[in-house]
Amino acid sequence: MRTDFLTFSPPLIGEEEIREVVDTLHSNWITTGPKSRQFEVEFASFLGCSACVSVNSCTAALHTALVASGIGPGDEVITTPITFVASVNVIEHVGAKPVLVDVEPDTLNIDPRQIERAIAPQTRAVLPVHFAGHPVDLDPIEELAQNHGVSIIEDAAHAFPSKYHGRFIGSGKNPAAFSFYATKNLTTAEGGMLTGTPDLIDRARVISLHGMSKDAWKRYDKGGSWYYEVLYPGFKYNMTDIQASLGLHQIRKIERFQSRRRQIVQMYNSAFGEEETLELPVERREVEHAWHLYVLRLRTETLRISRDQFIEELQLRKIGSSVHFIPVHLHPYYRDKYGWKTQDFPVAYANYQRMLSLPLNPRLTDQDVADVIEAVLDIVEMYRL
Ligand SMILES: *Cc1c(COP(=O)(O)O)cnc(C)c1O
């Protein structure tokens, strides 16, 4: 057994990132400026998207996208219970009503057929989440959205980089919000990016910085003017150049990070593939998975222990794991406000009770991966029914 505890998802920061941060600190400009702009340029060129704006979190990107899309009181936004609660909090922030629909049993992504049933005259948008980095089935959602005149705003927090029918998530015309939180595939400690059409991103840039017609860098730089106008009571969501310093090097390493993630997924899949007590994550043919999370599901009817006990057993073997996510409808605020019952979203709830996320990040050594595999198989052997 391991002697040291294996942390679930530590960041992988190299000397390049550290030098860039120090360079920024030695410069005259530490907040939004040339490096945030450069990061946007490199991010857009990686994805092949037409425009993007860097912000200080994915939550900020989602909130900005809802405001820029004109969504507010009286509107409904359809989303999934299997997400981090930020996806739903932002709907509350604009005064709209979140409408949850259940997920597909294989990917745990929002189920397009359920969306169709939930569309009402008040529906203004669908907010799908590319759970774990597996793209949602966008084609049928696009078709529904077109037929009913509703927008799609993608929560792409897990989806950098992933592809649907050969195209990067976030490279199309839907606004897509990415997260650079410490545990995500690319990190700036805290940070986010919103991609979309140039028109939407122009508005988002204004909304995300006080609603000002010109940003500070343009005002204070050579030839800048002191004059600006406030066009909207906007937010303070800008990314700093210190954060962008991390992003600039993380994005240059992302292909390497991703190939290591895929290797680890293969090691897990081949170790667990024959084990009838375990259900492995899927990757549908038409997608490229970002493998942000490796979500293992227990066939609890074949085991003498619950998922919670399984996690405790992993902890005893010094392996960190987690659960993504506690379904939105179980959180007291949402449960009480909308009267949601546990069984309202049966696929989400049943899977929540039997899922756990194993460590998956490019810092894992082959020995770390072997330790996780050994621990999982040991627990399974011990508690098999
Ligand atoms: C991490 C995460 C977010 C929020 O990202 P922040 O950058 O921390 O705001 C939103 N949605 C999902 C699905 C996430 O996992």
Side-chain angles (χ1 to χ4, degrees), residues 40 44 47-54 61 64-65 68-69 142 151-154 167 169-178 193-207:
E40 290 171 355
L47 286 186
C49 67
S50 51
C52 64
V53 56
S54 57
T64 301
S69 306
E142 302 265 11
S151 5
I152 300 173
I153 295 166
E154 298 175 41
R167 296 194 49 191
I169 292 298
S171 65
K173 49 183 183 24
N174 300 332
F178 293 89
M193 190 76 81
L194 180 66
T195 65
T197 61
D199 185 51
L200 178 118
I201 295 302
D202 281 349
R203 267 179 289 142
R205 199 179 286 285
V206 171
I207 291 164

Side-chain angles (χ1 to χ4, degrees), residues 290-355:
W291 291 113
H292 171 56
L293 299 172
Y294 188 91
V295 178
L296 194 61
R297 283 178 277 180
L298 307 176
R299 297 193 202 276
T300 37
E301 70 282 4
T302 66
L303 289 166
R304 282 188 287 124
I305 52 171
S306 67
R307 183 273 317 277
D308 294 3
Q309 291 166 304
F310 202 98
I311 288 176
E312 281 166 28
E313 291 289 330
L314 279 173
Q315 207 133 25
L316 289 174
R317 290 164 180 77
K318 298 200 160 61
I319 306 294
S321 62
S322 192
V323 175
H324 300 89
F325 292 96
I326 302 165
V328 172
H329 69 292
L330 303 184
H331 289 295
Y333 175 84
Y334 289 104
R335 182 194 62 203
D336 298 345
K337 179 164 182 181
Y338 297 108
W340 283 323
K341 303 276 177 289
T342 303
Q343 287 300 340
D344 282 353
F345 312 102
V347 181
Y349 184 67
N351 282 286
Y352 160 61
Q353 288 183 298
R354 64 191 191 96
M355 69 192 194

Side-chain angles (χ1 to χ4, degrees), residues 57-59 83-84 86-87 129 155 157-158 179 181 184 191 325:
S57 71
C58 176
T59 309
T83 187
F84 182 57
S87 324
V129 179
D155 181 335
H158 300 177
S179 175
Y181 179 65
K184 298 296 179 3
F325 292 96

Side-chain angles (χ1 to χ4, degrees), residues 10-59:
L12 180 47
I13 302 294
E15 288 306 315
E16 300 82 1
E17 283 90 327
I18 294 169
R19 272 196 297 272
E20 196 73 44
V21 168
V22 171
D23 176 72
T24 305
L25 293 174
H26 283 138
S27 79
N28 295 326
W29 203 266
I30 57 175
T31 184
T32 311
K35 290 188 185 178
S36 326
R37 209 59 101 230
Q38 181 61 24
F39 182 42
E40 290 171 355
V41 169
E42 295 199 19
F43 196 83
S45 111
F46 185 99
L47 286 186
C49 67
S50 51
C52 64
V53 56
S54 57
V55 287
N56 59 16
S57 71
C58 176
T59 309

